[in-house]
């Protein structure tokens, strides 16, 4: 019996399931040493009769192992591709590569990209060479975008001067200021955030010490707690704040001078003494807003290499805010400390509009309004409190509205 040599040495025969993209399915029996290219030829002959007449037909198709989703390599055998019996293969036609663009299309595309490209510095200079030059004053441009808080301080400084002149004409000015000033002193003594105070006392800090810490740190619980910890061993930790003793002494001096003026022999002498007493009261009010820098912020900024006077100026300008003070020291240092006590131009349309407002005019005759202005200069954070006050709130609201209206024009 004659047996062909290839039958004797043939590898293991595998039965493979083949599927085409059109949905046809069939079985192909191949040996392990059959190449993927030969297997693909047999699949094409079964699936697409006559397709082998086109030599490109084989290269335009590919076989994919369904389980591993791997594209089989034409030059490898079935065994090398690790194909097992009863595996499923997919016969897929390859996507045709995109046609190469014509030279005209390439030129048009490049031209479009060049048109969309941003101009470089040379192109900008060339295009603007014939334009007239203008020097824009950035300081003026920035000033036009005025910040209300910055302008409010200037407005308050000027309004304080006007209020003092108006109130000095009132024959009962001294008594009015004594009552208003005493009321403000009581407010300052009672002006402690109860929630913040409760948090500190619940931590174990004494109430009087917690009150002092909160006043020194503008009612910030975190900063007050840090202050209390830092000064726990300080023998002067329970000493009264600076200004409390002097305020009481000034109040006593004011009371004694008031009694002296009441017992004066003549109205002329009494008028002079009342005027002097009113001046003393104004001085006392001024002393209340003497700036006290945050000692921790002073130390931190001085450790950066800044001079102590510079640090205090920076903290005064920036309301004891350490980060803002640092930026001020590193920047152009504007506004300067001298600018803080400068009022707004009394001839400006803004100030004239404020003075012409009836609500403001009536408020300037109230001593509490003057004291509120002074308090806001010392601590701008108290502006919200005075905005909610039934006596000073309407005045502050009118000032804000007038500023916003004129700032838009």
């Amino acid at each position: 019996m004659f047996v062909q040599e290839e039958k004797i040495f043939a590898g293991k025969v595998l039965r493979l399931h083949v599927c085409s993209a059109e949905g046809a399915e069939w079985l192909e029996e191949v040996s392990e040493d059959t190449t993927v290219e030969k297997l693909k030829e047999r699949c094409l002959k079964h699936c697409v009769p006559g397709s082998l007449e086109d030599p490109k037909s084989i290269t335009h198709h590919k076989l994919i192992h369904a389980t591993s989703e791997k594209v089989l390599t034409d030059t490898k055998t079935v065994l090398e591709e690790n194909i097992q019996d009863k595996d499923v293969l997919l016969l897929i036609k390859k996507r045709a590569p995109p046609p190469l663009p014509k030279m005209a299309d390439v030129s048009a595309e490049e031209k479009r990209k060049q048109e969309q490209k941003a101009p470089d510095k040379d192109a900008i200079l060339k295009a603007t060479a014939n334009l007239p030059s203008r020097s824009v004053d950035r300081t003026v441009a920035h000033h036009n975008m005025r910040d209300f808080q910055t302008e409010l301080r200037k407005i308050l400084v000027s309004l304080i001067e006007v209020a003092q002149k108006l109130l000095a004409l009132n024959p009962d000015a001294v008594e009015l200021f004594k009552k208003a000033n005493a009321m403000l002193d009581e407010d300052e003594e009672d002006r402690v955030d109860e929630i913040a105070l409760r948090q500190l006392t619940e931590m174990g800090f004494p109430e009087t010490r917690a009150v002092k810490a909160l006043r020194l740190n503008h009612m910030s619980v975190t900063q007050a707690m840090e202050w209390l910890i830092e000064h726990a061993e300080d023998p002067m930790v329970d000493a009264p704040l600076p200004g409390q003793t002097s305020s009481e002494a000034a109040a006593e001096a004011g009371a004694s001078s008031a009694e002296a003026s009441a017992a004066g022999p003549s109205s002329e002498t009494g008028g002079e003494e009342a005027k002097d007493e009113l001046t003393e009261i104004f001085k006392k009010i001024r002393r209340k807003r003497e700036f006290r820098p945050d000692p921790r912020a002073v130390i931190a900024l001085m450790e950066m290499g800044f001079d102590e006077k510079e640090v205090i100026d920076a903290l005064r300008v920036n309301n004891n805010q350490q980060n803002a003070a640092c930026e001020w020291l590193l920047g152009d240092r504007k506004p300067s400390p001298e600018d803080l006590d400068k009022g707004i131009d009394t001839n400006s349309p803004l100030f004239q509009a404020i003075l012409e407002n009836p609500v403001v005019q009536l408020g300037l005759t109230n001593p509490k309004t003057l004291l509120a202005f002074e308090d806001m200069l010392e601590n701008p954070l108290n502006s919200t409190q005075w905005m909610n006050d039934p006596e000073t709130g309407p005045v502050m609201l009118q000032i804000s509205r007038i500023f916003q209206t004129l700032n838009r024009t």
Side-chain angles (χ1 to χ4, degrees):
M1 183 176 64
F2 177 75
V3 181
Q4 293 182 1
E5 184 178 356
E6 62 180 6
K7 295 287 184 179
I8 297 175
F9 300 102
K12 180 181 177 181
V13 177
L14 304 177
R15 294 169 61 85
L16 305 175
H17 294 270
V18 183
C19 303
S20 68
E22 290 75 18
E25 297 182 13
W26 68 95
L27 289 176
E28 286 287 350
E29 294 185 353
V30 295
S31 61
E32 291 180 329
D33 56 358
T34 303
T35 62
V36 173
E37 186 176 11
K38 289 292 184 182
L39 176 59
K40 190 162 53 173
E41 287 181 6
R42 293 175 59 177
C43 293
L44 287 171
K45 188 183 296 185
H46 182 279
C47 181
V48 189
S51 61
L52 295 180
E53 296 178 0
D54 183 3
K56 294 182 179 180
S57 181
I58 297 177
T59 58
H60 288 173
H61 287 77
K62 58 185 177 181
L63 282 173
I64 301 175
H65 190 254
T67 305
S68 63
E69 300 180 0
K70 176 185 175 183
V71 179
L72 304 181
T73 306
D74 290 350
T75 57
K76 291 185 178 181
T77 64
V78 172
L79 179 63
E80 290 173 341
E81 289 289 4
N82 196 26
I83 298 175
Q84 304 297 322
D85 190 36
K86 297 183 181 180
D87 279 357
V88 179
L89 302 180
L90 303 176
L91 179 65
I92 305 294
K93 188 174 183 180
K94 296 179 181 179
R95 291 180 181 178
L100 295 175
K102 299 179 181 179
M103 292 302 297
D105 296 337
V106 173
S107 301
E109 180 68 15
E110 289 295 329
K111 184 178 180 181
R112 185 179 66 81
K113 289 182 179 179
Q114 290 293 334
E115 290 175 351
Q116 294 180 349
K117 185 179 179 182
D120 55 13
K121 183 178 179 181
D122 294 336
I124 293 174
L125 293 175
K126 182 178 179 181
T128 59
N130 297 325
L131 294 177
S133 60
R134 280 184 192 172
S135 59
V136 179
D137 189 346
R138 296 186 180 273
T139 305
V140 175
H142 179 72
H143 180 70
N144 291 335
M145 301 170 60
R146 294 173 296 180
D147 177 63
F148 176 63
Q149 292 299 328
T150 303
E151 290 298 311
L152 177 61
R153 184 178 184 89
K154 297 179 180 179
I155 294 170
L156 293 179
V157 170
S158 297
L159 287 179
I160 285 172
E161 296 178 0
V162 175
Q164 287 180 349
K165 293 177 181 178
L166 289 175
L167 291 168
L169 299 176
N170 192 324
D172 300 326
V174 174
E175 292 301 322
L176 289 173
F177 267 100
K178 281 183 182 178
K179 293 178 181 179
N181 198 31
M183 180 175 58
L184 184 61
D185 287 340
E186 291 174 3
D187 289 343
E188 287 179 350
E189 291 175 3
D190 298 335
R191 196 183 301 156
V192 176
D193 190 334
E194 294 182 0
I195 298 176
L197 180 60
R198 190 184 315 120
Q199 291 178 2
L200 292 176
T201 53
E202 288 176 354
M203 296 178 190
F205 296 110
E207 183 175 348
T208 55
R209 195 175 298 179
V211 169
K212 179 180 179 180
L214 287 171
R215 286 177 178 167
L216 285 173
N217 293 278
H218 302 290
M219 300 302 156
S220 170
V221 177
T222 304
Q223 295 180 4
M225 182 179 63
E226 293 177 358
W227 184 91
L228 287 166
I229 294 172
E230 290 177 3
H231 295 80
E233 304 299 329
D234 188 352
M236 299 296 293
V237 66
D238 293 319
L241 290 173
Q244 289 183 345
T245 306
S246 60
S247 297
E248 294 172 0
E252 292 176 0
S256 61
S257 59
E259 293 174 1
S261 62
S266 64
S267 60
E268 182 178 353
T269 306
E272 290 295 329
E273 290 180 356
K275 183 177 180 181
D276 293 339
E277 185 177 0
L278 192 59
T279 304
E280 289 299 319
I281 294 176
F282 286 156
K283 288 181 179 179
K284 177 186 172 183
I285 296 172
R286 293 287 182 181
R287 282 197 299 270
K288 283 186 178 180
R289 66 180 178 96
E290 287 180 356
F291 176 71
R292 292 193 298 268
D294 184 350
R296 289 171 300 158
V298 172
I299 294 172
L301 293 172
M302 288 182 64
E303 287 177 351
M304 297 180 186
F306 297 110
D307 181 73
E308 182 177 3
K309 184 180 181 304
E310 293 177 330
V311 169
I312 294 175
D313 287 343
L315 291 172
R316 180 169 177 254
V317 170
N318 295 280
N319 302 316
N320 264 335
Q321 301 296 321
Q322 181 177 328
N323 293 337
C326 184
E327 293 179 3
W328 184 87
L329 288 166
L330 296 173
D332 57 4
R333 303 193 177 188
K334 291 183 180 179
S336 65
E338 293 75 18
D339 293 336
L340 295 180
D341 295 325
K342 290 182 179 178
I344 192 173
D345 182 7
T346 54
N347 296 321
S348 65
L350 173 61
F351 192 68
Q352 292 297 323
I354 291 173
L355 289 182
E356 291 172 1
N357 186 277
V359 177
V360 177
Q361 291 176 356
L362 184 61
L364 291 177
T365 61
N366 184 353
K368 188 175 180 180
T369 304
L370 175 60
L371 300 177
F373 290 169
E374 294 282 359
D375 185 48
M376 283 186 283
L377 285 182
E378 177 191 2
N379 186 7
L381 297 177
N382 289 345
S383 298
T384 305
Q385 175 186 342
W386 292 113
M387 286 285 290
N388 296 327
D389 187 273
E391 295 184 57
T392 60
V395 178
M396 296 303 302
L397 182 61
Q398 292 300 318
I399 294 173
S400 176
R401 286 179 176 175
I402 294 171
F403 175 85
Q404 298 296 339
T405 302
L406 294 182
N407 199 34
R408 293 193 193 101
T409 58

